[in-house]
Amino acid sequence: MGKSELYQSGMALPYSPNSSVQRDARNPSYLSQVYTIISVALLFTAFFLAQYDRFILSYFQLPLTTELNISSSEYAILSGYATGISFAILSIPLASIADRSKARLWILTLSIAWWSLSVVFQGLAHNYWQIATARVSMGIGQSAVEALTVSLISDLMGPRRYVSTGEGVLYMGIYVGEAISGQISTVFRRTGTSWRWALKGVGIFGIGLAIVIRVVMWKEPRRRDAIARSLTDEGEGEGNGQGTSFRNTLNYVISMRSFWLYTLAAGVRTLSGVVFGYYMPGYLQQLYPETKNLTSVYGIIVGVVGSATSLSGGLVTSALWPKTKLTPLYLVSAGGVLSSVFVILMVFSRELVGDKESGVKVLYGTLAAAYVTAELWLGPVNGLLVILFPPKYKTFAFSIYSAIVVLIYSSGPEIVGLALDGVNPDSENYAQSLKIILAVIIPLGYILSSIGFALCIPLVKADIKRQRPEFKSSTASLNP
């Protein structure tokens, strides 16, 4: 099999072009497969933990704001820029260090331990400034987790057509995190247990997870090629040209035709999702105060439907990879528009039906439909993007993308907080105002991002076709 054919098959490894290495990639041993499964499971757990830690406050919004005397605008800061700015500032240099030092696993391990300790301190906070400082510290620890886990999984999965499946598994962590948060908050309210123990407990668990990852994942995965290779072929070997390659990677990201619109669309889409995650549980509790199991059922729907949908998006992308590389863009473009309708129905479920029992049924049905249509995108979209980057520096390149996305979506809670500033969270006026805000921001973000991703389709085609001639034959089937 020639070099061009290897790349068409998706099996090529960038720095080990000999045939024996290629055969190992094509036919991995049983132990290698087991190691990959365990490693992906641990990375999933780390990513899930980051999402859980980030969103757990939304399920304890009322007791937390009451006990610590926190206003709506201060809660918005805790939910938005308290973690977003520190995340964005540090994610790029940490990812760059991880790539240049070949120490992604060590940096991930230390990051998990750091942010988990910060979560413990959140549970010990007695005023706004203490919990805000702990949230900033958590953002520092979580700053590189997405780029590191996405990069590691893309290398562990081997053939590039399966990268989307691996990323789909990874991003299930978002929905599992929300599901577990809902169950824990329900149990805590029933038993009268303080919200502080939820934070302390998960912080201690995270420190233990960091140790397990470092012990079990003993070797750094080999960096596997995908599509982008031209930058790493010219003037760069395994041990030289790091400074030049660093600059080349920056130049590559800047010169990509799709990167900026792709990033903007992802940021707007995630902004809607963050507003949904931080404010929807509290709003629904106020809308249906007499429904005791609301947050529990809400969490189950989000966890089960969201996880299944995320995984399905990855599997569909992998299945259709030989025919088209652009399945994620089609999924997110159509799904966002459809989901916006279900979100509006969910927000106004009680008014549409008239009685609480039927309203709750409509709520659960439209919530499930919203997740089925909206959540196919995240893993496959990020998986598609990461394979466009030079393999040796894809962690750094992806961190640029994720930092910009974080800065965009962190403004979502700030917008909501400013709109609700001075309004008593227990009042009817708060619930009515929040209803309008959710019915506008979430669907609008879904629709705008769908338009953005649709416009990205020809740009991504152009970016793939920019590659050297031997790769063009493997991208000839871009159209479905």
Side-chain angles (χ1 to χ4, degrees), residues 36-111:
T36 297
I37 292 172
I38 294 174
S39 297
V40 170
L42 288 173
L43 293 173
F44 161 81
T45 305
F47 188 72
F48 141 74
L49 193 65
Q51 306 308 311
Y52 174 90
D53 293 346
R54 195 175 301 173
F55 284 101
I56 184 63
L57 293 187
S58 66
Y59 287 88
F60 295 102
Q61 179 181 356
L62 187 57
L64 182 145
T65 53
T66 301
E67 184 175 338
L68 300 184
N69 193 27
I70 293 175
S71 67
S72 297
S73 58
E74 288 173 334
Y75 174 78
I77 293 174
L78 294 179
S79 305
Y81 283 127
T83 55
I85 291 179
S86 55
F87 184 106
I89 291 175
L90 288 175
S91 62
I92 295 176
L94 279 177
S96 176
I97 292 170
D99 274 339
R100 293 163 68 85
S101 64
K102 302 178 185 177
R104 291 176 295 174
L105 285 173
W106 269 113
I107 292 177
L108 177 63
T109 300
L110 295 175
S111 297

Side-chain angles (χ1 to χ4, degrees), residues 8 21 30 42 53 75 118 123 140 201 205 220 225 232 262 270-271 291 358 362 384 386 394 424 430 446 458 460 467:
Q8 292 180 49
V21 174
Y30 174 76
L42 288 173
D53 293 346
Y75 174 78
S118 301
I140 293 172
F205 174 81
E220 182 83 7
D225 204 352
T232 57
Y262 203 104
T270 311
L271 184 152
T291 306
S358 299
V362 172
L384 174 61
V386 78
K394 61 184 170 186
N424 184 358
Y430 181 92
Y446 282 0
V460 171
Q467 307 309 319

Side-chain angles (χ1 to χ4, degrees), residues 149-433:
T149 51
V150 167
S151 175
L152 287 165
I153 284 182
S154 70
D155 291 334
L156 286 164
M157 293 305 293
R160 65 180 185 239
R161 68 175 296 179
Y162 299 119
V163 170
S164 292
T165 299
E167 305 300 353
V169 171
L170 175 68
Y171 283 99
M172 287 170 58
I174 295 177
Y175 315 106
V176 174
E178 286 201 42
I180 292 179
S181 297
Q183 305 313 306
I184 289 177
S185 65
T186 300
V187 172
F188 276 37
R189 280 197 301 274
R190 288 179 178 175
T191 59
T193 307
S194 172
W195 56 271
R196 297 178 181 276
W197 285 106
L199 297 174
K200 294 175 187 177
V202 75
I204 295 171
F205 174 81
I207 294 171
L209 176 65
I211 296 172
V212 171
I213 288 178
R214 184 60 271 180
V215 171
V216 173
M217 297 183 67
W218 67 88
K219 61 180 181 179
E220 182 83 7
R222 179 186 289 112
R223 294 178 185 275
R224 303 179 186 274
D225 204 352
I227 294 175
R229 180 178 169 84
S230 57
L231 294 179
T232 57
D233 278 344
E234 298 177 7
E236 181 185 344
E238 258 310 299
N240 60 15
Q242 287 189 343
T244 301
S245 182
F246 182 88
R247 289 190 296 271
N248 284 347
T249 304
L250 281 175
N251 291 334
Y252 183 87
V253 168
I254 293 171
S255 66
M256 286 176 64
R257 297 184 183 181
S258 63
F259 181 81
W260 301 109
L261 182 57
Y262 203 104
T263 303
L264 179 61
V268 172
R269 174 63 180 77
T270 311
L271 184 152
S272 291
V274 167
V275 171
F276 194 117
Y278 274 118
Y279 287 96
M280 191 64 75
Y283 164 72
L284 295 178
Q285 290 175 48
Q286 290 186 306
L287 187 63
Y288 296 99
E290 61 284 331
T291 306
K292 295 181 179 179
N293 296 323
L294 180 68
T295 55
S296 177
V297 177
Y298 174 93
I300 292 172
I301 292 174
V302 170
V304 174
V305 178
S307 298
T309 305
S310 176
L311 179 59
S312 298
L315 291 173
V316 170
T317 299
S318 294
L320 296 179
W321 184 267
K323 295 183 178 180
T324 177
K325 313 297 182 285
L326 304 176
T327 301
L329 301 182
Y330 296 118
L331 292 176
V332 69
S333 299
V337 175
L338 293 173
S339 184
S340 63
V341 177
F342 294 116
V343 170
I344 294 174
L345 293 175
M346 180 174 61
V347 171
F348 291 98
S349 58
R350 190 151 188 168
E351 288 86 342
L352 290 173
V353 178
D355 65 278
K356 62 182 181 181
E357 292 185 5
S358 299
V360 170
K361 293 178 181 179
V362 172
L363 165 65
Y364 292 154
T366 53
L367 173 64
Y371 269 82
V372 166
T373 51
E375 304 306 322
L376 292 163
W377 76 284
L378 191 53
V381 162
N382 287 346
L384 174 61
L385 181 63
V386 78
I387 66 172
L388 295 174
F389 295 140
K392 192 174 182 181
Y393 288 89
K394 61 184 170 186
T395 312
F396 166 68
F398 188 84
S399 71
I400 297 174
Y401 160 80
S402 62
I404 298 172
V405 169
V406 167
L407 287 176
I408 294 172
Y409 77 61
S410 294
S411 64
E414 303 297 333
I415 295 170
V416 178
L418 290 174
L420 297 173
D421 191 30
V423 182
N424 184 358
D426 288 328
S427 66
E428 180 67 22
N429 186 33
Y430 181 92
Q432 292 299 320
S433 299

Side-chain angles (χ1 to χ4, degrees), residues 444-480:
L444 182 62
Y446 282 0
I447 293 171
L448 290 177
S449 66
S450 294
I451 295 172
F453 279 118
L455 295 175
C456 276
I457 291 173
L459 302 181
V460 171
K461 290 182 181 180
D463 279 333
I464 295 177
K465 289 180 179 179
R466 284 177 57 197
Q467 307 309 319
R468 288 165 38 161
E470 64 243 42
F471 303 109
K472 290 187 177 180
S473 60
S474 68
T475 60
S477 58
L478 286 171
N479 294 306

